[in-house]
Amino acid sequence: MSTLSAIVAVVKDPALLRSISFALNTHGQPVEQFNDWTMAAEAISRAECVILDTCLPPADLTAGLSLADRGIKLVVLAEDDKDYGSGNRQDICVLSKPLNGPDIANAVSSLRKNP
C-alpha cells in the first residue's frame, strides 16, 4: 500500500533545492528533493504537494502544472509575471523568486489547509 509523500520538490538549482528542503524540514515538513522531472516521477505519483521551479524545461513545466488537474497541490517558483495559477486556483500557490524567509513553508502550509 502506497502512502502520500508529504512534499516533492523539483527544482533545477541545487542550492535553491537545498534551501527549500532545509526550510521545510525546519518547519517539520518532510520533503523529497529532485532536480530532474524524470527522476521525480515515482515520488510525484505519491505526492500531496509538489514544488515546481519554472526554470525546468518547458515540457516538464507543462507536465508539472497539469498535476493540479489531478488534485495535487502545487507551489510554483516563478521568475516572471506569467499566470501560472490559472486564475488563482486554490490548489496552486505562485511564489516569486527570490524567496523571502518562511515563504515556502507558509505556502505549503496554506495549500495543505485547502480542501
Side-chain angles (χ1 to χ4, degrees):
M1 180 161 138
S2 173
T3 59
L4 287 179
S5 171
I7 304 160
V8 173
V10 187
V11 178
K12 192 173 179 179
D13 178 358
L16 178 58
L17 186 58
R18 284 190 304 273
S19 295
I20 288 169
S21 181
F22 178 78
L24 290 170
N25 285 317
T26 299
H27 286 87
Q29 300 181 61
V31 61
E32 292 186 62
Q33 306 173 55
F34 300 92
N35 61 6
D36 177 83
W37 182 258
T38 305
M39 299 296 290
E42 184 181 335
I44 288 170
S45 70
R46 305 183 309 270
E48 174 186 7
C49 180
V50 174
I51 299 166
L52 187 65
D53 189 356
T54 59
C55 290
L56 294 169
D60 295 347
L61 182 57
T62 299
L65 293 171
S66 74
L67 293 172
D69 296 331
R70 297 189 343 224
I72 297 174
K73 311 250 186 230
L74 295 176
V75 176
V76 178
L77 306 178
E79 291 183 336
D80 54 30
D81 292 334
K82 274 182 85 175
D83 182 14
Y84 295 103
S86 298
N88 296 323
R89 294 169 42 170
Q90 289 186 354
D91 52 357
I92 299 176
C93 178
V94 179
L95 296 177
S96 296
K97 293 194 282 187
L99 302 176
N100 293 310
D103 286 350
I104 195 77
N106 290 342
V108 169
S109 292
S110 176
L111 283 173
R112 288 176 132 180
K113 291 176 185 172
N114 291 336

